[in-house]
Amino acid sequence: MPELPEVETIKRDLNKPAAGKIIAALKINPKRCFKLRGLKQAKFLNLPVLEFKKKIIGLKIASVDRRAKNLIFKLTDNRLPKNQAKFLLIHLKMTGQLIYRQADGLRIAGGHFIKNGEKNLPNKYTQLTFIFNDRSRLFFNDLRQFGWVHFLNQTELNNRLAKLGPEPLTPQFTFKIFQAILKKSPDKKIKALLLDQEKIAGLGNIYADEVCFYGRARPQRQIKSLQLQDQRKLFLGIKAILKKAIEKRGSSINSYLDAQGQPGGYAPFLKVYGRSNKKCFICRSLIKKIKLAGRGAHFCPQCQMKS
DNA sequence: TATATTGTTACACC
DNA sequence: TGGTGTAACAATAT
């Protein structure tokens, strides 16, 4: 489940090898993408396959960026002026992978773990393969097929990203801004707000639970019940937890893999996520799990205040 | 065999 | 209007 730290890790790892490479060819797995399901087109693309290929082949990957949980490949063409850049907007959703492999080696970039999937590529979950001018390849695999790859121009890209909330790790995301966001949804539950990409960008189920624990507030608490002190702790939690998770290259819940094909190192730091009925590290109470906003929510009934 | 899993969107309902 | 709950998407582990 790539959330902000995992997508950021992939972005950083992909930038080095992929930036500057020219896309020489694209392979789409027809069996996987439409034949087996009786579809005429690959639904993870926003264009018909032939059109998609025609637009992209020959373009250079100028850079890899991230906004919320989206990856953005900036594509340029030496024949065009710089302001003509095009973009690939990629969302890995729950189980998407981007695996980069040199023509001669084993360097890979991560995503959701697929059993032995990194060993033989392409595998049966591979939907799209980028083949670069130096014969290195980038595989887009997706076990559950929720992820997508969209080709966009600058205006379309801007429109697609317009509704996202602030990036939590930027200096622009201040306590004042956070307070203003809270003020707009007094009746919402804390975790629902943390998960809402239009409020704050990049938190998913794992880190939202962890932020609530850091803030010593139950995920189901209403925003308006938060004291100034609680607001501060939650704000600090967002920054601290995401920062540390990036340092540790993400969490390997469901065996997410990082750029070297290794598990992310944050899992041992998780305090509540995936720990239901286990002892709280602080007070030894048993961690509880409830359903909230359609998702599992984990919390310590002793450490995290009801109101 | 039934259930839980989750990022995002769509939709019904209060 | 805004919040909530549920379904959908999909394939896996338990």
Side-chain angles (χ1 to χ4, degrees):
Chain A
M1 292 154 279
E3 300 180 28
L4 188 152
E6 290 79 21
V7 179
E8 178 67 20
T9 300
I10 294 168
K11 176 209 113 177
R12 292 180 183 184
D13 289 345
L14 230 38
N15 239 316
K16 284 174 207 153
K21 301 274 160 77
I22 291 165
I23 301 166
L26 278 172
K27 272 192 185 165
I28 282 148
N29 178 351
K31 219 191 223 173
R32 174 75 176 163
C33 297
F34 39 90
K35 278 192 185 155
L36 278 179
R37 302 170 63 206
L39 301 172
K40 289 225 162 81
Q41 292 300 337
K43 66 163 195 160
F44 75 105
L45 302 176
N46 63 332
L47 294 171
V49 170
L50 285 179
E51 209 177 312
F52 186 83
K53 281 190 181 181
K54 205 173 150 189
K55 297 228 187 219
I56 287 165
I57 290 172
L59 298 183
K60 181 168 82 181
I61 297 187
S63 60
V64 182
D65 264 300
R66 181 191 61 75
R67 176 78 172 96
K69 300 169 194 167
N70 298 274
L71 283 163
I72 303 162
F73 287 16
K74 186 178 182 184
L75 305 174
T76 55
D77 184 335
N78 291 336
R79 295 162 299 186
L80 294 172
K82 272 192 179 158
N83 59 5
Q84 295 286 314
K86 306 287 185 190
F87 302 89
L88 283 178
L89 186 65
I90 300 177
H91 203 302
L92 301 173
K93 290 291 182 90
M94 291 157 57
T95 57
Q97 286 188 324
L98 278 173
I99 298 186
Y100 181 84
R101 185 163 287 179
Q102 311 272 34
D104 59 345
L106 295 170
R107 287 207 46 169
I108 60 173
H112 186 271
F113 177 76
I114 293 169
K115 229 182 221 171
N116 292 326
E118 80 284 5
K119 289 184 185 140
N120 299 302
L121 286 169
N123 59 40
K124 66 171 178 168
Y125 304 115
T126 301
Q127 307 198 349
L128 180 63
T129 308
F130 297 82
I131 301 165
F132 298 111
N133 52 328
D134 65 349
R135 293 178 54 228
S136 63
R137 291 177 294 172
L138 179 65
F139 300 93
F140 174 79
N141 307 327
D142 192 1
L143 184 141
R144 292 189 199 168
Q145 304 189 87
F146 289 172
W148 39 257
V149 179
H150 289 179
F151 179 80
L152 306 170
N153 65 29
Q154 182 79 63
T155 311
E156 291 165 330
L157 178 74
N158 294 347
N159 290 340
R160 291 283 291 272
L161 302 177
K163 289 179 83 176
L164 290 168
E167 279 294 320
L169 289 181
T170 57
Q172 287 81 11
F173 182 64
T174 60
F175 182 57
K176 272 200 169 168
I177 298 275
F178 182 55
Q179 280 187 303
I181 292 167
L182 293 177
K183 207 174 173 184
K184 277 188 196 161
S185 304
D187 296 328
K188 225 177 160 94
K189 293 171 180 175
I190 307 168
K191 186 175 174 186
L193 179 132
L194 293 175
L195 286 173
D196 187 340
Q197 303 298 299
E198 295 183 16
K199 305 288 183 193
I200 301 161
L203 289 164
N205 211 32
I206 298 172
Y207 298 110
D209 276 357
E210 295 300 309
V211 167
C212 290
F213 180 82
Y214 188 105
R216 299 291 181 267
R218 295 197 189 188
Q220 65 271 46
R221 243 175 93 174
Q222 278 192 310
I223 304 285
K224 65 184 170 198
S225 79
L226 297 171
Q227 306 296 309
L228 183 65
Q229 197 78 326
D230 302 320
Q231 298 176 2
R232 276 194 200 287
K233 274 191 287 184
L234 286 167
F235 175 75
L236 290 176
I238 293 170
K239 297 262 189 192
I241 287 167
L242 291 178
K243 199 173 154 220
K244 183 151 188 190
I246 292 172
E247 274 170 28
K248 298 291 171 191
R249 307 179 58 79
S251 298
S252 279
I253 296 297
N254 286 348
S255 306
Y256 155 90
L257 292 183
D258 77 4
Q260 276 79 40
Q262 301 298 315
Y266 194 75
F269 297 90
L270 296 173
K271 306 284 192 269
V272 286
Y273 183 88
R275 300 197 64 249
S276 55
N277 292 320
K278 292 186 176 162
K279 284 181 183 169
C280 171
F281 293 126
I282 292 178
C283 75
R284 318 306 291 170
S285 310
L286 295 185
I287 301 296
K288 269 196 162 185
K289 183 176 178 185
I290 58 166
K291 202 157 190 172
L292 195 157
R295 297 289 170 257
H298 312 71
F299 66 94
C300 171
Q302 183 71 34
C303 294
Q304 292 172 260
M305 301 295 120
K306 263 187 208 160
S307 57

